[in-house]
């Protein structure tokens, strides 16, 4: 089993990577000195596949286990589901000697993490991410939370897990579009933070599409190491951490305009990254060759690269609705060549859209 550490002083934690390592969760929780009762939060889809293995491993290591099932879907990442988790924790008598295990994708990780951050003013939690997106992004870095009817992730807390266990074997059961959507986040790290990772993706695209385990461990470990290094420098997103939003500004607009139904998150981000690359080229942070390479990689990973057709006014409105927008301007993340980034404020949204070639 490989591991890296997210170095945050006394809140540092390990991330373990391997194939078929779910059964280690009990021993790893024990080695972290976690309390007596584990509350495993999962949904029916993931639970049917992996809950028994996780509960057996925890019980085998001497923990009492309570299971908390929440409905599957982004639409359930809300206050009602959170209340259901609290109810179950309270009814099961969970005290400060307990901890939460989030078993699932980003939805389970975000809501279970927020439950842990807030229950009894905070109990420890462990991330066992089972989607590629969760393994390379959402399980690391401590962003937890729920959606509000007025917007995504409007309620939450920075609250770091005590350990993350990444078992790449769980990706075998993931639906194809979910898997490919996760590859977009890996490409993001390559484009703005690691030329080497970018080249690795170019060289191993076919093996990655075949979910080759060695390649997967390589890219997930590299992605987590990159994310850890950013989080270590800027845990609460005062500045640098915003680089992780590369492609997301326009990607979110694409998701909003298409009602969150046409594109998976990573697919919308892929479109956003191609448009961000065009803007970077316009600003002379990168050249046409970089834009072609970025577009070529995303295409070879079977990600969409063409924005859906909406008017410029609709795109503008969707962009300005993003919660990271301040005073009608956008803090936009550009790529500097490949493997570098530039964060700059963009006030002229119509020009941005024109450069992207979107809208009328
Ligand atoms: P998700 O959690 O909805 O999972 C996608 C689907 O795959 C679900 O139906 C789930 O049940 C299923 N699934 C999960 N693991 C599976 C497996 N191994 N086999 C078969 N099916 C499986 O979606 P996601 O893409 O993992 O996460 C999206 C969420 O993550 C969003 O709510 C987003 O806001 C959040 N997010 C958070 C951060 C962060 O830093 N906290 C970062 C990025 C995204
Ligand atoms: N997913 C972006 C972040 O964690 O900051």
């Amino acid at each position: 089993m490989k591991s890296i550490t997210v170095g945050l002083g006394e809140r540092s934690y390990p991330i373990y990577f391997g194939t078929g390592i779910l059964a280690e969760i009990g021993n790893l929780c024990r080695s972290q000195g976690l309390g007596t009762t584990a509350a495993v939060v999962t949904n029916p889809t993931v639970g049917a596949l992996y809950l028994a293995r996780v509960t057996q491993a925890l019980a085998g290591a001497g923990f009492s286990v309570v299971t908390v099932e929440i409905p599957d879907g982004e639409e359930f990442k809300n206050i009602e589901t959170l209340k259901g988790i609290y109810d179950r924790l309270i009814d099961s008598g969970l005290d400060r000697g307990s901890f939460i295990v989030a078993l699932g994708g980003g939805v389970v990780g975000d809501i279970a993490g927020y439950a842990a951050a807030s229950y009894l003013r905070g109990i420890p939690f462990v991330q066992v991410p089972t989607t590629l997106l969760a393994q390379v992004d959402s399980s690391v870095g401590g962003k937890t939370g729920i959606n509000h009817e007025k917007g995504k992730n409007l309620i939450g807390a920075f609250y770091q897990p005590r350990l993350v266990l990444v078992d790449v074997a769980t990706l075998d059961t993931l639906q194809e579009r979910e898997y490919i959507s996760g590859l977009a986040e890996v490409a993001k790290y390559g484009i703005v933070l690691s030329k080497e990772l970018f080249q690795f993706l170019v060289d191993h695209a076919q093996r990655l599409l075949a979910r080759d385990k060695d390649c997967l461990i390589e890219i997930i470990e590299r992605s987590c190491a990159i994310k850890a290094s950013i989080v270590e420098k800027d845990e609460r997103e005062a500045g640098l951490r915003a680089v992780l939003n590369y492609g997301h500004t326009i990607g979110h607009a694409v998701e909003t305009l298409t009602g969150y139904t046409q594109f998976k998150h990573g697919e919308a981000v892929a479109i956003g990254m191609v448009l961000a690359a065009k803007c970077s080229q316009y600003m002379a942070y990168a050249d046409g060759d970089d834009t072609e390479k970025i577009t070529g990689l995303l295409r070879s990973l079977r990600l969409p690269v063409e924005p859906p057709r909406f008017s410029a006014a609709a795109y503008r409105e969707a962009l300005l609705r993003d919660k990271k927008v301040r005073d009608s301007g956008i803090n936009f993340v550009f790529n500097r060549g490949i493997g570098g980034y530039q964060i700059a404020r963009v006030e002229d949204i119509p020009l941005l859209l024109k450069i992207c070639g979107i809208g009328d």
Side-chain angles (χ1 to χ4, degrees):
M1 210 169 11
K2 292 172 144 193
S3 74
I4 62 169
T5 300
V6 183
L8 288 167
E10 61 183 15
R11 286 173 295 106
S12 297
Y13 53 95
I15 310 173
Y16 293 96
F17 309 90
T19 307
I21 59 169
L22 275 186
E24 295 303 319
I25 189 68
N27 294 332
L28 292 173
C29 288
R30 180 66 60 218
S31 69
Q32 287 298 307
L34 292 169
T36 50
T37 304
V40 183
V41 180
T42 192
N43 69 31
T45 313
V46 179
L49 294 162
Y50 304 112
L51 181 61
R53 249 179 278 172
V54 167
T55 53
Q56 271 163 25
L58 288 162
F63 295 106
S64 301
V65 184
V66 169
T67 58
V68 186
E69 191 174 278
I70 62 171
D72 185 0
E74 179 74 31
E75 66 273 33
F76 299 108
K77 198 176 105 174
N78 60 23
I79 194 86
E80 285 79 29
T81 306
L82 181 66
K83 181 182 178 300
I85 298 175
Y86 293 143
D87 290 347
R88 177 96 172 111
L89 300 181
I90 292 165
D91 292 346
S92 307
L94 261 72
D95 60 16
R96 286 220 174 90
S98 326
F99 60 99
I100 286 178
V101 178
L103 172 67
V107 168
V108 168
D110 278 12
I111 195 166
Y114 188 56
S118 47
Y119 183 66
L120 302 179
R121 299 195 178 87
I123 58 171
F125 89 112
V126 167
Q127 289 271 22
V128 184
T130 60
T131 62
L132 183 55
L133 176 134
Q135 294 184 350
V136 298
D137 188 358
S138 61
S139 66
V140 175
K143 280 189 182 175
T144 69
I146 56 171
N147 301 327
H148 184 273
E149 59 199 27
K150 296 251 165 85
K152 277 192 75 177
N153 298 324
L154 289 184
I155 299 157
F158 286 98
Y159 192 68
Q160 301 292 342
R162 290 285 287 274
L163 85 92
V164 182
L165 181 141
V166 175
D167 183 345
V168 296
T170 60
L171 299 180
D172 281 342
T173 52
L174 198 58
Q175 286 191 357
E176 185 74 353
R177 275 184 75 192
E178 294 290 353
Y179 174 74
I180 286 179
S181 184
L183 287 175
E185 298 288 351
V186 182
K188 171 192 80 178
Y189 292 120
I191 297 167
V192 281
L193 289 158
S194 170
K195 206 172 184 159
E196 293 72 32
L197 176 56
F198 184 91
Q199 193 56 46
F200 187 91
L201 294 173
V202 171
D203 294 341
H204 297 85
Q206 289 313 311
R207 282 176 67 186
L208 284 166
L209 288 172
R211 306 190 195 192
D212 176 285
K213 300 287 178 302
D214 292 336
C215 277
L216 272 170
I217 291 185
E218 186 69 35
I219 61 161
I220 295 168
E221 187 181 358
R222 286 192 199 205
S223 299
C224 288
I226 291 168
K227 180 152 186 186
S229 74
I230 299 290
V231 170
E232 284 163 5
K233 292 186 194 95
D234 180 21
E235 186 183 3
R236 287 173 169 261
E237 203 166 317
L240 173 67
R241 187 165 174 169
V243 70
L244 301 175
N245 297 327
Y246 178 74
H248 284 58
T249 306
I250 297 175
H252 284 152
V254 166
E255 284 183 292
T256 305
L257 287 169
T258 52
Y260 293 90
T261 49
Q262 190 177 337
F263 296 103
K264 300 273 174 204
H265 175 69
E267 294 171 340
V269 168
I271 293 167
M273 292 195 290
V274 169
L275 300 181
K278 285 188 183 169
C279 294
S280 308
Q281 185 184 335
Y282 178 87
M283 297 290 287
Y285 294 137
D287 60 29
D289 191 37
D290 298 323
T291 307
E292 264 176 41
K293 281 185 186 153
I294 290 167
T295 312
L297 171 64
L298 297 173
R299 271 192 217 280
S300 74
L301 295 174
R302 300 190 194 144
L303 283 157
V305 294
E306 297 294 340
R309 290 181 67 83
F310 288 93
S311 69
Y315 265 106
R316 183 175 175 280
E317 197 190 315
L319 280 171
L320 292 177
R321 226 183 292 156
D322 194 293
K323 73 175 185 290
K324 295 188 177 71
V325 172
R326 306 239 190 286
D327 306 326
S328 312
I330 296 176
N331 282 333
F332 199 80
V333 186
F334 299 90
N335 55 290
R336 270 198 177 275
I338 287 173
Y341 65 89
Q342 178 74 46
I343 303 174
R345 197 164 171 71
V346 174
E347 305 274 354
D348 193 343
I349 310 288
L351 176 63
L352 181 88
L353 294 172
K354 208 170 163 193
I355 298 162
C356 292
I358 54 178
D360 42 26

